[in-house]
Amino acid sequence: MRPVLPVSLPAGYDFAREYDYGTFDDDPDPMSLDDETTTKRASSWSVHFLPKEGAYEDGLPVIVLCVQDPTSRGELCSTRSDATHLQRQFGQTQVVIYRASDGSPDMTAWSTLELTTDLDKVTWLH
């Protein structure tokens, strides 16, 4: 699964601070298999964006961007669609952006972000 990331970040945010992945519980556990080449395949991954220093005082929340493999057999990213959860599509890939802490309820800046799979275009990585 190719990473889907914002090209740039809204004001008050800088680079991502935490990355995580998701698998299904019934996927084979590579640690218990004799074949060392077998690995558990991530069906989703997420990244946490924390406000810059001082931005917490402006009421900016922690934001999580979750990307799910379109071929996965179930839901690992949230399916909620409300004021705190944005459901977006990038090609066939489901992208969910949501508030993970208290803060401003306005998600407008996150709803209009340009997304890409081209890491050379991701300005906050450079």
Side-chain angles (χ1 to χ4, degrees):
M1 178 173 53
R2 294 189 59 144
V4 177
L5 294 168
V7 170
S8 59
L9 296 174
Y13 292 89
D14 57 8
F15 59 91
R17 305 273 184 184
E18 181 180 327
Y19 297 85
D20 199 6
Y21 66 92
T23 60
F24 291 99
D25 289 339
D26 60 346
D27 286 341
D29 182 354
M31 302 307 286
S32 67
L33 300 176
D34 292 332
D35 180 1
E36 292 180 14
T37 62
T38 302
T39 58
K40 188 179 269 193
R41 183 175 172 272
S43 295
S44 74
W45 63 268
S46 59
V47 58
H48 294 70
F49 295 99
L50 280 66
K52 293 179 184 179
E53 283 187 44
Y56 280 111
E57 297 165 6
D58 295 334
L60 295 178
V62 173
I63 297 292
V64 176
L65 182 141
C66 184
V67 178
Q68 184 162 331
D69 182 346
T71 64
S72 65
R73 65 181 184 279
E75 297 293 331
L76 289 169
C77 293
S78 175
T79 58
R80 283 179 57 184
S81 186
D82 59 21
T84 63
H85 290 71
L86 300 172
Q87 301 287 336
R88 299 203 39 201
Q89 287 290 123
F90 185 83
Q92 297 297 313
T93 304
Q94 174 190 359
V95 179
V96 181
I97 303 170
Y98 62 94
R99 286 188 356 232
S101 70
D102 291 336
S104 172
D106 185 8
M107 297 286 287
T108 304
W110 292 93
S111 67
T112 59
L113 290 177
E114 178 184 359
L115 301 173
T116 186
T117 57
D118 183 350
L119 297 181
D120 289 334
K121 292 182 179 179
V122 180
T123 59
W124 53 270
L125 285 176
H126 304 285

